[in-house]
Amino acid sequence: MSEPALPDVVRRGRPRDARADAAILRAARELLEEMGYSGLTMDAVAVRAGVGKATVYRRWSNRAALAMEAFLAQAEQGSPFPDSGSAREDFRLHLRALARLAARTEFARVLAALVAETHEDPVLARALLERFVAVRRADAALVIERGVARGELRRDVDADIAIDGLYGPLYYRLLVSRARIDTAFTDALVGQVLDGLARRPDRGA
Amino acid sequence: MSEPALPDVVRRGRPRDARADAAILRAARELLEEMGYSGLTMDAVAVRAGVGKATVYRRWSNRAALAMEAFLAQAEQGSPFPDSGSAREDFRLHLRALARLAARTEFARVLAALVAETHEDPVLARALLERFVAVRRADAALVIERGVARGELRRDVDADIAIDGLYGPLYYRLLVSRARIDTAFTDALVGQVLDGLARRPDRGA
Amino acid sequence: MSEPALPDVVRRGRPRDARADAAILRAARELLEEMGYSGLTMDAVAVRAGVGKATVYRRWSNRAALAMEAFLAQAEQGSPFPDSGSAREDFRLHLRALARLAARTEFARVLAALVAETHEDPVLARALLERFVAVRRADAALVIERGVARGELRRDVDADIAIDGLYGPLYYRLLVSRARIDTAFTDALVGQVLDGLARRPDRGA
Amino acid sequence: MSEPALPDVVRRGRPRDARADAAILRAARELLEEMGYSGLTMDAVAVRAGVGKATVYRRWSNRAALAMEAFLAQAEQGSPFPDSGSAREDFRLHLRALARLAARTEFARVLAALVAETHEDPVLARALLERFVAVRRADAALVIERGVARGELRRDVDADIAIDGLYGPLYYRLLVSRARIDTAFTDALVGQVLDGLARRPDRGA
DNA sequence: CAATAAACGAGACGGTACGTCCCGTCTTCAG
DNA sequence: CTGAAGACGGGACGTACCGTCTCGTTTATTG
């Protein structure tokens, strides 16, 4: 969002107040957590942040953009990608962490709303894709690469399909089927995908 | 909606006009297709259906409930489940049909909106679950059962995980990652899941 | 309202139920007294009377007509016109009775609503005029006539103006200025009008 | 409406647009004149004034309050109170002017509706009393005072009753009995009341 | 150091949809 | 044909947000 601000020369007038950015995002996150997306109204954000509505709109062009930012801020810190020496173990831990995040917060509810908005607004779609989807997929691709290099995974693995096979069912349960997401599930998921990808050491014999 | 209505005795007063139901649903479907969920306003539906707003609200308690109904009406006829004699083939055909439906219509856009609404309203969540998710999963479970009986699939298959493995990635692409859904993808999906489930005839040898 | 009913021959089918008339009027009167004119909705009347809406509309063509009927039913029994032997005394007693009626009931509130309706609907205007205004004025005119005959009032009295002078201020306070209406007021009113009308016995001397 | 606004300090935010006030009142007045009270819908006012509904509701809390304002705006300029040197003449002229106003406009129809509303809403009642009734009565009281000072009227006159005696019959005809209001009537009215109030020069003799 | 210019809190603005309520009419089945 | 019941088309109500637009004030940078 906020442009990088052409180092020195150009900017004139009173500079943006960085505290406003923080207060707005904080208010947005709180409202999302407390009342979900429908509770995130621009008026409510402005009031809670102690800020005029124009100050909000100066930074985010509409409600969905702000919600997206607030969501991403939370999501980005949510689920680290470990490097345990085993791809299977890396995915297991990552999916468990993701499941825990979803259980603890309004993650699913907010994501559902944002996903809906992306289907109405291409700009938003790009934001979600680049800052949420692509980032995680890149991390996951790295895990797979390491697994291949290490000989843990087959050389001809289709990383895209594999990642879809891991994330897909999880988001499907999170958003659509609302089925329970526990360790048993995430582990089974990893099993289902990786058992097809793992090298069959006995095969060559 | 429309309970079966205790055959004779109970119903009193002027009966609901079935033509109104049809006109409203038709209007709702058209608006969804033309303008997406945000275009489905109760006023617009009433006007287009040539019906008073009260007549709409008498049948569906709010906008989301009506949209759900309109969506389900369309979705229910959308993707038949074949019985080709092979589970792999059944799934291949089914997923291809589903992909085609999604490509042809505003399926994803509408589903995304409805999924978001289910996260705000438990009644709606039940409706989507029972009339959309569960129905298809039951059909899919049947395909798996037949596959097992026929010896095509392993006896110890976890049907739930398998079905999640098929639908999950598809809906993930449809709703979240917006990646291309083509025959290559759906076929690869079926491969990924079924190759782990298929009996290994050579194994016993 | 209810047509005179062409004695015998013509009427076919199930005859009207006289108890419905009573129940409707009773419900209407109660609602007027409890919630004022705005509380007299046709649905509420029908429910309270234990009657279908069509049954109400068969008897009164609209809400205002029914309210008028209910009002008149109450008003007609409200304020008898005495014959005490003195016009002054007759008016005094009558106005006091009217004031008491207004104090005890929602008379003013309902009348105000009905008056407003008469300005939108000439049929209603005629009803109020003929069944409320004219009736009372005729009675009052009789009192004046008796007073003239008796020598209590001047021979050249303009009865219309006199009656306006008595009723006008009372209804003005009742409807418009909402000022207190007590015995002092009604008596003063009679004084103001009749002192101008009384024969001046000393004059001839 | 519009409080005098604590000179500087307090007012914050964008100030109300005075043109909106004017446009709304204008629209309201026109609608009252064209279609009567029932034609004064908030939607119609907003549309005709080229204003959002919220802008209307920000200023007047409901339909009745707005109608009252529009009525008063018109009524206030309607009937000047002359000072001819004679109380009788002052009243004669004033009542004639009032009658003309009523004949020319929807005065009675609108007043009737507003009077009805005052019986449902005390806030409205106060408004009508203070800004319509009391103002005119005060003017009339002044005329009487001058008449007394000048020796034209009796010293012991009860101004309240006298004023009721003048306005009462007029509003009674206007609202309730709908009888003709012409010069003959208003003049007779003044006669009826003032002839009782005038000093009887011959009396002292 | 004054002028300029943008940002600020506040809140009014035009617009649009919501879901509710009531009107007066119509449609069913029962007597 | 009347009765109770209640659905029907229509249309206004008052509320809530949206995203934009003034206000008067504050705060850096520029001349």
Side-chain angles (χ1 to χ4, degrees):
Chain A
M1 269 24 343
S2 53
E3 325 76 63
L6 312 198
D8 301 65
V9 195
V10 178
R11 289 278 206 179
R12 308 205 316 172
R14 177 174 175 175
R16 297 248 175 111
D17 186 341
R19 284 173 326 203
D21 294 70
I24 292 167
L25 269 179
R26 188 174 138 71
R29 255 183 293 118
E30 287 176 8
L31 285 167
L32 280 178
E33 207 49 49
E34 290 169 21
M35 335 191 47
Y37 184 66
S38 64
L40 182 93
T41 71
M42 293 307 248
D43 291 78
V45 167
V47 167
R48 183 174 292 217
V51 136
K53 278 171 67 175
T55 301
V56 181
Y57 278 101
R58 213 170 279 123
R59 289 162 169 77
W60 289 280
S61 62
N62 55 50
R63 183 168 97 107
L66 171 56
M68 181 66 80
E69 191 76 21
F71 169 77
L72 291 173
Q74 183 209 40
E76 260 149 22
Q77 64 179 54
S79 41
F81 240 111
D83 182 359
S84 66
S86 146
R88 173 172 251 113
E89 197 55 22
D90 284 359
F91 281 126
R92 273 232 271 254
L93 293 174
H94 175 66
L95 291 191
R96 285 183 182 193
L98 192 49
R100 236 174 302 124
L101 171 67
R104 218 175 54 237
T105 65
E106 298 283 4
F107 184 86
R109 193 180 173 190
V110 173
L111 177 58
L114 289 173
V115 161
E117 297 285 1
T118 64
H119 284 258
E120 307 291 327
D121 175 357
V123 173
L124 222 56
R126 268 198 78 192
L128 187 71
L129 184 58
E130 294 180 357
R131 302 184 50 198
F132 182 70
V133 174
V135 172
R136 277 136 203 271
R137 292 186 72 95
D139 284 348
L142 244 149
V143 171
I144 290 178
E145 221 168 278
R146 286 199 305 257
V148 170
R150 190 189 290 135
E152 184 186 354
L153 303 179
R154 293 211 319 254
R155 205 173 299 280
D156 64 343
V157 53
D158 183 335
D160 268 344
I161 298 288
I163 295 172
D164 284 342
L166 290 168
Y167 278 141
L170 196 142
Y171 283 108
Y172 171 69
R173 287 204 169 187
L174 212 50
L175 298 176
V176 183
S177 82
R178 316 289 288 277
R180 186 166 175 63
I181 298 180
D182 51 17
T183 315
F185 171 66
T186 54
D187 288 359
L189 216 49
V190 175
Q192 180 173 57
V193 171
L194 288 211
D195 286 346
L197 303 180
R199 290 188 64 191
R200 309 260 169 68
D202 52 330
R203 211 51 173 299
Chain B
M1 260 60 291
S2 64
E3 324 77 61
L6 315 197
D8 304 63
V9 194
V10 177
R11 287 282 202 183
R12 298 199 304 187
R14 177 173 174 178
R16 300 261 172 97
D17 186 340
R19 284 173 327 209
D21 292 71
I24 292 167
L25 273 177
R26 189 174 139 69
R29 255 182 294 120
E30 289 175 8
L31 286 167
L32 280 178
E33 208 49 49
E34 290 168 21
M35 337 189 50
Y37 183 66
S38 63
L40 181 93
T41 72
M42 293 306 248
D43 291 79
V45 167
V47 168
R48 184 175 291 215
V51 137
K53 274 171 73 174
T55 299
V56 181
Y57 278 102
R58 212 171 279 125
R59 290 163 167 75
W60 291 280
S61 62
N62 53 51
R63 184 169 96 105
L66 171 56
M68 181 67 80
E69 191 76 21
F71 170 76
L72 290 174
Q74 183 208 38
E76 259 149 22
Q77 63 179 58
S79 39
F81 241 111
D83 182 0
S84 65
S86 145
R88 172 170 252 114
E89 199 53 23
D90 284 358
F91 281 126
R92 276 232 270 252
L93 294 174
H94 175 65
L95 291 192
R96 286 183 182 193
L98 192 49
R100 236 173 302 123
L101 171 67
R104 218 178 50 238
T105 66
E106 297 283 4
F107 184 86
R109 192 180 174 192
V110 172
L111 177 59
L114 288 174
V115 160
E117 297 285 1
T118 65
H119 284 259
E120 306 292 327
D121 176 355
V123 173
L124 226 54
R126 268 199 78 192
L128 187 70
L129 183 58
E130 294 180 357
R131 302 182 51 198
F132 182 69
V133 175
V135 170
R136 276 135 204 270
R137 291 186 72 95
D139 283 348
L142 244 148
V143 171
I144 291 179
E145 222 168 278
R146 288 199 303 257
V148 171
R150 189 190 290 134
E152 184 186 354
L153 302 180
R154 291 211 321 253
R155 207 171 298 279
D156 64 343
V157 53
D158 183 336
D160 269 343
I161 298 288
I163 296 172
D164 284 343
L166 290 167
Y167 278 141
L170 196 141
Y171 284 108
Y172 172 70
R173 287 204 170 187
L174 211 50
L175 299 176
V176 183
S177 82
R178 317 287 290 276
R180 186 166 175 61
I181 298 180
D182 51 17
T183 314
F185 171 66
T186 54
D187 289 358
L189 215 48
V190 174
Q192 180 175 56
V193 170
L194 290 211
D195 286 346
L197 302 180
R199 287 187 67 193
R200 308 263 167 64
D202 50 331
R203 212 54 171 296
Chain C
M1 264 55 302
S2 53
E3 323 78 61
L6 314 199
D8 306 78
V9 193
V10 178
R11 288 278 208 176
R12 308 204 315 171
R14 176 172 172 176
R16 294 237 178 126
D17 186 342
R19 283 172 327 203
D21 295 69
I24 293 166
L25 269 179
R26 189 174 137 71
R29 255 182 292 119
E30 289 176 8
L31 285 167
L32 280 178
E33 207 49 48
E34 290 169 22
M35 336 191 47
Y37 184 67
S38 64
L40 182 92
T41 70
M42 292 308 247
D43 291 78
V45 168
V47 167
R48 184 174 291 216
V51 136
K53 278 171 66 175
T55 301
V56 181
Y57 278 102
R58 216 169 276 126
R59 288 161 170 76
W60 289 280
S61 63
N62 56 50
R63 184 168 98 108
L66 171 57
M68 181 66 80
E69 192 75 21
F71 170 77
L72 290 174
Q74 183 207 39
E76 261 150 23
Q77 64 179 56
S79 40
F81 240 111
D83 182 0
S84 66
S86 146
R88 175 172 250 113
E89 197 56 20
D90 285 358
F91 281 127
R92 273 233 266 256
L93 293 173
H94 175 65
L95 290 192
R96 285 183 181 195
L98 191 50
R100 237 174 301 124
L101 171 66
R104 217 176 53 238
T105 66
E106 297 283 5
F107 184 86
R109 192 180 174 190
V110 173
L111 177 58
L114 288 174
V115 161
E117 297 285 0
T118 64
H119 283 259
E120 306 291 328
D121 176 357
V123 173
L124 222 55
R126 269 200 76 193
L128 188 71
L129 184 58
E130 294 180 358
R131 304 184 49 198
F132 181 71
V133 174
V135 171
R136 278 136 202 270
R137 292 186 72 95
D139 283 348
L142 245 148
V143 171
I144 291 177
E145 222 169 279
R146 286 200 304 258
V148 171
R150 190 190 289 134
E152 184 187 355
L153 303 180
R154 291 211 321 254
R155 207 173 296 279
D156 65 343
V157 52
D158 182 335
D160 268 342
I161 298 288
I163 296 172
D164 284 342
L166 290 168
Y167 278 141
L170 196 141
Y171 283 108
Y172 172 69
R173 287 205 170 187
L174 211 51
L175 299 177
V176 183
S177 83
R178 316 290 287 277
R180 187 166 174 64
I181 298 181
D182 52 16
T183 314
F185 171 66
T186 55
D187 289 359
L189 216 49
V190 175
Q192 181 173 57
V193 171
L194 289 211
D195 286 346
L197 303 180
R199 291 188 64 195
R200 308 257 170 69
D202 52 330
R203 211 53 173 297
Chain D
M1 262 47 313
S2 63
E3 324 75 62
L6 315 199
D8 301 61
V9 193
V10 177
R11 286 282 201 183
R12 299 198 302 188
R14 176 172 175 177
R16 298 262 173 97
D17 186 341
R19 284 174 326 210
D21 293 71
I24 293 166
L25 273 178
R26 190 173 138 69
R29 254 181 295 119
E30 289 176 7
L31 285 167
L32 280 179
E33 208 47 49
E34 290 168 21
M35 338 190 46
Y37 183 67
S38 62
L40 181 92
T41 72
M42 293 305 248
D43 292 79
V45 168
V47 167
R48 184 175 291 215
V51 137
K53 274 171 73 174
T55 299
V56 182
Y57 279 103
R58 212 171 280 125
R59 290 162 167 75
W60 291 281
S61 62
N62 53 52
R63 185 169 96 105
L66 171 56
M68 180 66 80
E69 191 76 21
F71 170 77
L72 290 173
Q74 183 208 38
E76 259 150 22
Q77 62 179 57
S79 39
F81 240 110
D83 182 0
S84 66
S86 145
R88 172 172 252 111
E89 199 54 22
D90 284 358
F91 282 126
R92 274 231 272 253
L93 293 173
H94 175 65
L95 291 191
R96 285 183 181 194
L98 191 50
R100 235 174 303 123
L101 171 66
R104 216 178 53 237
T105 67
E106 297 284 3
F107 184 86
R109 190 180 175 192
V110 173
L111 177 58
L114 288 174
V115 161
E117 297 285 0
T118 64
H119 284 259
E120 306 291 328
D121 176 356
V123 173
L124 226 53
R126 268 199 78 191
L128 187 70
L129 183 58
E130 293 181 358
R131 303 183 49 198
F132 181 69
V133 175
V135 171
R136 278 136 201 270
R137 292 187 71 95
D139 283 349
L142 245 147
V143 171
I144 291 178
E145 223 169 277
R146 287 199 303 258
V148 171
R150 188 190 292 133
E152 183 186 356
L153 302 180
R154 292 213 318 257
R155 207 172 298 279
D156 64 344
V157 53
D158 182 336
D160 269 342
I161 298 288
I163 296 171
D164 285 341
L166 289 167
Y167 278 142
L170 195 143
Y171 283 109
Y172 173 70
R173 286 206 169 185
L174 211 50
L175 298 177
V176 183
S177 82
R178 318 287 290 276
R180 186 166 176 63
I181 299 180
D182 52 16
T183 314
F185 171 66
T186 55
D187 288 359
L189 216 48
V190 174
Q192 181 175 53
V193 171
L194 289 211
D195 286 345
L197 303 179
R199 287 188 66 192
R200 308 262 167 66
D202 51 330
R203 211 55 170 292

